[in-house]
Each structure stands twice: as structure tokens, then as C-alpha cells.
């Protein structure tokens, strides 16, 4: 078992539908290191979200392996023959979706506390203290007793991010976190993500925000047709793209 800075090792990951007629992922291999802010870009339907959702097995891969913190989570059993507890591994992966998935009948504070109390066994007081600290961090402490319907889209997405952080994950996965937002709300969500990156949180971000990819990412993956076609630093990807498909993509989005 390798231990070093590799947090997640993805090897030859495939996800096929319709008996292989549709190859959403067709052999993706990449290492995600501790502290990486890995930004995944590419045209719609390129497999970006499927790749991200496979990392915590929201999508069950057809083939390949995902080794997270030394454990191959695609196997049903661990190396000692014990059934693999995927929920245990999922707890260490915070996930933020395009839509906020907040419980509408609960206040923001209740939304924040439910998982730490029920899943991690924190006391209500501990969970609330942590939740208030996190809400203050994103400028929403005064909205703790509000319901999701009373918040703007940008505020809801900031809550969704800190709700994931309340579980103290080792990596944060973002699936197009700003694409459902009005343009003027995008900045407030990206600002929270930039802060997280500065603090060294490992992040994998699927996004259409090229400015964020350039400014905050330390590694950029370009995917198309289920394949990882190019990866490199933002400078390499945006200023010196090699792959013709990437050059074409950038000519349309920049």
C-alpha cells in the first residue's frame, strides 16, 4: 500500500452504459494529491460529472479502481476480507452539487447539524457550535434560523459548502457548484472556494468557470468523450494547450 501525498489514485476508470454502447468514462487514470485543487474542464457530456461522482461511488464504475487513503473503494471487501463500509469513506469526502439539496423543512442550523450528530456522533451543542463557526466564516451566521426558501441561490450554495465542511472531510468534491446560480451570485460562492483552497483543502472541482480554473487550480484536467485528453498546470492548459480538442474548446469558451 502506497503512502505519500497521493490521496486518491484513479486507475483505468471506466463507466459504460447500454452494454458498452455509451462510454461515459473510457479509461481515466489520474492521481489526486493532498492539497491539490484539481479543476476538471471540458464540453458538456465529456464525462466530467461522471468522473467526479465515481470518486465517492455515487456512480458505480464499470471497471478500474479508485484507491482512497490506501483503500480500493471499488472492491466489495477490504484486504482482510471484511465488507467495505463505503459510507465510512464517503464521510471523508464532502460533496457539493449543482443544486443545494438542503432540507426545506429545516432551518439552516438544523441542516448543518443533522449529519454531524447522526453520523459522526457529535452532541447537539458541539454540532451547533461548529455550525455557527462555519456559517460565520461564509457571512451567514445571522441566517442560522432562516429556512432555505428565505435564502438566495448563492447563500444556499454557501450553506451547502459549509454543511459539507461540518463533517471535516479530507477532500471536497464540487460538481458544477455555480452553474445553477444567477451570474451575480457566482462570485460569492467562488470566493468561499478560493478561501478553502488557500487553507490547503484538497478539492476536485468540475466547473465552467475558466477564471477560477486559471486562478485557483494548481492542476487542470481536460476531458472530452469520456477520455482524459490533457492535464497540466493552468499555465500549460490555458496558454500552451497541446491537444487539438482542447485548443478548439478553449477557442470557444475564452
Amino acid at each position: 500500500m502506497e503512502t505519500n501525498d497521493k490521496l486518491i489514485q484513479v486507475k483505468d476508470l471506466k463507466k459504460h452504459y447500454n452494454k458498452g454502447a455509451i462510454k461515459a468514462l473510457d479509461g481515466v487514470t489520474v492521481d489526486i494529491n493532498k492539497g491539490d485543487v484539481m479543476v476538471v474542464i471540458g464540453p458538456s457530456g465529456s464525462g466530467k460529472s461522471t468522473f467526479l461522482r465515481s470518486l465517492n461511488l455515487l456512480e458505480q464504475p464499470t471497471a478500474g479502481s479508485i484507491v482512497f487513503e490506501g483503500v480500493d473503494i471499488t472492491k466489495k471487501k477490504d484486504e482482510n476480507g471484511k465488507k467495505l463500509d463505503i459510507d465510512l469513506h464517503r464521510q471523508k469526502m464532502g460533496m457539493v452539487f449543482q443544486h443545494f439539496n438542503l432540507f426545506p423543512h429545516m432551518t439552516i442550523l438544523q441542516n448543518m447539524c443533522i449529519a454531524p450528530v447522526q453520523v459522526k456522533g457529535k452532541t447537539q451543542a458541539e454540532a451547533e457550535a461548529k455550525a455557527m463557526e462555519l456559517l460565520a466564516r461564509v457571512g451567514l451566521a445571522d441566517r442560522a434560523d432562516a429556512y432555505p426558501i428565505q435564502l438566495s441561490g448563492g447563500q444556499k450554495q454557501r450553506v451547502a459548502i459549509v454543511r459539507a465542511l461540518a463533517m471535516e472531510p479530507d477532500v471536497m468534491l464540487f460538481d458544477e457548484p455555480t452553474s445553477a446560480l444567477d451570474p451575480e451570485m457566482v462570485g460569492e460562492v467562488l470566493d468561499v472556494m478560493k478561501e478553502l483552497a488557500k487553507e490547503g483543502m484538497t478539492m476536485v472541482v468540475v466547473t465552467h468557470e475558466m477564471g477560477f480554473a486559471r486562478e485557483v487550480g494548481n492542476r487542470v484536467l481536460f476531458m472530452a468523450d469520456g477520455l482524459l485528453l490533457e492535464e497540466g498546470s493552468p499555465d500549460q492548459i490555458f496558454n500552451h494547450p497541446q491537444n487539438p480538442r482542447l485548443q478548439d474548446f478553449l477557442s470557444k469558451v475564452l
Side-chain angles (χ1 to χ4, degrees), residues 51-65:
F51 167 70
L52 190 80
R53 292 164 67 89
S54 296
L55 293 178
N56 66 356
L57 299 193
L58 284 178
E59 293 276 0
Q60 289 289 337
T62 309
S65 64

Side-chain angles (χ1 to χ4, degrees):
M1 166 177 133
E2 285 188 58
T3 54
N4 41 29
D5 288 341
K6 291 179 181 148
L7 190 67
I8 306 174
Q9 293 162 279
V10 180
K11 219 174 205 160
D12 201 24
L13 194 65
K14 295 179 181 173
K15 176 67 179 181
H16 297 170
Y17 297 100
N18 295 0
K19 298 182 177 155
I22 298 168
K23 297 181 166 73
L25 292 175
D26 202 19
V28 173
T29 297
V30 69
D31 289 338
I32 299 159
N33 302 316
K34 286 186 183 131
D36 267 349
V37 179
M38 181 180 277
V39 184
V40 187
I41 63 170
S44 290
S46 58
K48 307 183 298 288
S49 287
T50 306
F51 167 70
L52 190 80
R53 292 164 67 89
S54 296
L55 293 178
N56 66 356
L57 299 193
L58 284 178
E59 293 276 0
Q60 289 289 337
T62 309
S65 64
I66 300 164
V67 177
F68 175 51
E69 298 186 334
V71 177
D72 184 348
I73 59 172
T74 54
K75 290 206 166 76
K76 298 283 182 271
K77 295 187 171 165
D78 67 15
E79 52 208 25
N80 305 319
K82 264 177 54 191
K83 188 172 180 294
L84 200 66
D85 183 354
I86 185 57
D87 289 334
L88 200 63
H89 295 286
R90 278 199 185 122
Q91 285 174 34
K92 301 177 192 168
M93 296 183 174
M95 182 99 190
V96 179
F97 300 92
Q98 204 167 344
H99 297 286
F100 329 110
N101 298 356
L102 299 173
F103 295 113
H105 61 290
M106 293 181 175
T107 65
I108 297 309
L109 188 62
Q110 288 167 333
N111 263 288
M112 294 277 298
C113 293
I114 185 167
V117 170
Q118 292 193 357
V119 180
K120 288 201 96 168
K122 299 242 165 140
T123 66
Q124 190 65 29
E126 282 171 336
E128 286 185 8
K130 180 76 178 166
M132 290 307 296
E133 180 194 314
L134 287 165
L135 286 170
R137 221 177 115 167
V138 294
L140 291 173
D142 60 333
R143 309 298 280 152
D145 295 325
Y147 286 87
I149 197 167
Q150 297 169 300
L151 269 56
S152 71
Q155 289 173 324
K156 283 184 216 173
Q157 195 59 296
R158 283 186 279 159
V159 170
I161 293 171
V162 289
R163 179 183 59 176
L165 287 177
M167 292 294 284
E168 299 164 341
D170 294 340
V171 58
M172 287 281 284
L173 309 175
F174 293 88
D175 191 6
E176 299 193 19
T178 57
S179 62
L181 298 177
D182 293 335
E184 70 268 22
M185 292 174 187
V186 168
E188 64 191 59
V189 173
L190 293 179
D191 284 345
V192 173
M193 293 168 66
K194 285 175 192 168
E195 280 302 309
L196 277 181
K198 271 191 206 143
E199 287 162 19
M201 170 61 80
T202 308
M203 295 159 64
V204 185
V205 185
V206 169
T207 186
H208 294 292
E209 299 291 334
M210 297 300 140
F212 177 85
R214 279 185 121 135
E215 183 191 342
V216 186
N218 71 318
R219 294 172 68 197
V220 181
L221 307 188
F222 172 70
M223 290 183 68
D225 309 316
L227 299 165
L228 171 54
L229 292 181
E230 194 164 333
E231 70 163 303
S233 66
D235 177 56
Q236 287 166 319
I237 294 291
F238 290 106
N239 300 330
H240 312 285
Q242 304 297 309
N243 187 290
R245 192 87 169 72
L246 172 57
Q247 292 165 354
D248 178 58
F249 173 75
L250 291 175
S251 75
K252 294 188 172 109
V253 297
L254 292 182

